Amino acid sequence: MQIRPRDLERNLAGGLMPVYLVTGDETLLVEEACASIVEAAAARGFTERKVIDEGNSTDWDAILAETANQSLFAERRVLDLRIPPRGFDRNASDALRHYLASPFDDVLLLIRTGRLQARQRSAAWFKAIDAAGAVLLVWPLAARELPGWLGSRCRAANIELTRDAIALLADRVEGNLLAAAQEIEKLKLAGVQSPVDAETLRAAVNDASHFNTFELIDAAFDGKPARVRKMVRVLRQEGTPVFMVLGAVNSQLRNALRHATGARVYVPRQRLRSLNGLRDRLGIGGLEHALSECALLDMQAKGALRGDAWQSLERILVALAGGRTRTLAKEAEYLRYPLR
């Protein structure tokens, strides 16, 4: 069955499915939906979770063999699979359909992936998941939906914003939900009194002495490698989570790639110049390579590759800005942990 993200909590309250597929490019919404599933599973005795993060090649036979392994620590467990969209091939279809014909009661399969193409959503493996479990298609919020989402997010944080303040926040984050969550967290930590008007919001979240994530991305897209290096180091010193920056970079790169391939992208007019410059500098192939580099960086930040994730992030952004630097793709094999 297909579930809208806003209906997930109510659906989970009614019982668990043997398999959940969460697909989309909105990193924050995908992560929060998966977290809700894992939390609901833990409340029902699925107290162990194994994360399997697949890269370029996906061994579905090995993955689903894990479902038959007995756990030493818990009677029930969640298999949390992070699969790139290209990982769903004929082998995936055969393995998933075979497993879902008779899934194990003590295993909950959680599959998260990027946005799937229409042809993938009509494939046999997708239909098998739809029939046996639940599918969440996480679509980007439309511009008209963002103010409502921001208002709900603020209320959940016990913060009330005036209409003007919500409009200001929507304009500031430009559709990036990770950035929006970061700004709302700043407001919460600042302990501002509600209702928060636009002037109070601007004073609370703006600090001219600090760089923010989107100023960093603007510097990279505008071709300013020296400024990028400085800003990355400031953000690191301030304790900004690397995943917060990476999520924003991923989101903006996808926008840039869609724009470069002729798709309609809803971005502020002043950002179109940056997107055009990035397209002319890197080309479609370069943008695709940058997204691949971000996927490797995600693995490194999660500990699957050795090395310093912040240094790798700096190199990726410098490359976007037109600077010469080494790539993670060339080093990935050397950064992998040796087999024991």
Side-chain angles (χ1 to χ4, degrees):
M1 96 176 35
Q2 295 193 24
I3 303 172
R4 292 175 297 185
R6 66 173 178 265
D7 297 330
L8 176 61
E9 296 292 343
R10 183 170 66 250
N11 180 271
L12 291 172
L16 294 176
M17 303 284 191
V19 59
Y20 289 85
L21 171 65
V22 184
T23 168
D25 285 342
E26 284 289 0
T27 304
L28 179 68
L29 298 184
V30 168
E31 291 290 336
E32 290 186 341
C34 291
S36 295
I37 294 167
V38 170
E39 183 179 351
R44 289 170 171 81
F46 291 81
T47 54
E48 182 185 344
R49 176 164 64 124
K50 179 167 184 178
V51 176
I52 301 176
D53 202 334
E54 288 293 302
N56 293 328
S57 59
T58 305
D59 187 345
W60 280 95
D61 291 332
I63 289 173
L64 294 179
E66 285 288 340
T67 61
N69 290 341
Q70 293 290 327
S71 171
L72 298 176
F73 306 103
E75 292 182 0
R76 306 173 114 188
R77 60 190 177 132
V78 175
L79 281 186
D80 186 347
L81 312 181
R82 287 92 185 277
I83 309 294
R86 63 181 176 275
F88 296 93
D89 53 16
R90 184 182 298 275
N91 291 335
S93 183
D94 293 343
L96 280 169
R97 285 186 294 159
H98 180 266
Y99 173 75
L100 292 175
S102 183
F104 294 117
D105 293 336
D106 59 351
V107 174
L108 185 148
L109 205 59
L110 170 59
I111 306 171
R112 62 180 84 187
T113 188
R115 184 176 57 173
L116 297 172
Q117 300 298 319
R119 59 178 177 76
Q120 292 176 298
R121 299 197 301 272
S122 62
W125 64 266
F126 185 93
K127 293 177 180 177
I129 294 176
D130 194 16
V135 174
L136 277 80
L137 302 176
V138 181
W139 300 106
L141 290 181
R144 65 180 182 278
E145 296 174 311
L146 182 58
W149 184 88
L150 290 171
S152 297
R153 187 95 183 179
C154 287
R155 287 191 293 273
N158 294 317
I159 300 170
E160 180 186 351
L161 266 62
T162 65
R163 182 176 298 179
D164 287 345
I166 289 177
L168 173 63
L169 184 56
D171 180 68
R172 179 184 177 89
V173 300
E174 297 180 353
N176 188 284
L177 304 189
L178 280 168
Q182 185 181 30
E183 298 291 16
I184 292 169
E185 185 64 21
K186 285 181 187 177
L187 286 174
K188 185 176 179 180
L189 293 174
V192 294
Q193 294 285 349
S194 293
V196 180
D197 59 21
E199 183 178 351
T200 304
L201 173 69
R202 188 177 289 108
V205 301
N206 282 347
D207 184 340
S209 67
H210 291 181
F211 296 119
N212 69 32
T213 299
F214 286 92
E215 288 172 339
L216 170 61
I217 295 173
D218 286 343
F221 282 19
D222 288 339
K224 300 175 180 178
R227 182 167 171 79
V228 164
R229 292 186 189 278
K230 180 180 178 181
M231 295 175 76
V232 167
R233 292 165 191 178
V234 170
L235 283 169
R236 182 175 191 173
Q237 290 169 2
E238 291 180 344
T240 304
V242 69
F243 287 109
M244 185 72 70
V245 183
L246 176 58
V249 172
N250 255 317
S251 175
Q252 295 305 312
L253 274 175
R254 290 191 186 101
N255 277 341
L257 182 58
R258 287 197 287 268
H259 176 67
T261 54
R264 180 176 295 179
V265 177
Y266 296 96
V267 296
R269 183 175 300 174
Q270 62 269 24
R271 183 162 290 239
L272 284 177
R273 180 180 298 177
S274 295
L275 293 185
N276 289 333
L278 187 68
R279 176 198 62 200
D280 295 342
R281 190 161 60 247
L282 299 184
I284 292 175
L287 291 170
E288 290 175 338
H289 174 73
L291 283 167
S292 297
E293 287 282 289
C294 287
L296 289 171
L297 173 56
D298 182 71
M299 293 174 61
Q300 188 177 59
K302 291 173 180 173
L305 295 177
R306 289 176 289 192
D308 187 321
W310 273 103
Q311 288 183 4
S312 298
L313 174 65
E314 179 179 326
R315 285 158 51 186
I316 290 170
L317 290 168
V318 166
L320 291 178
R324 294 175 64 89
T325 183
R326 301 189 309 275
T327 66
L328 265 175
K330 289 185 177 180
E331 299 180 348
E333 290 305 316
Y334 301 100
L335 296 176
R336 295 187 191 278
Y337 288 96
L339 297 175
R340 300 189 179 187

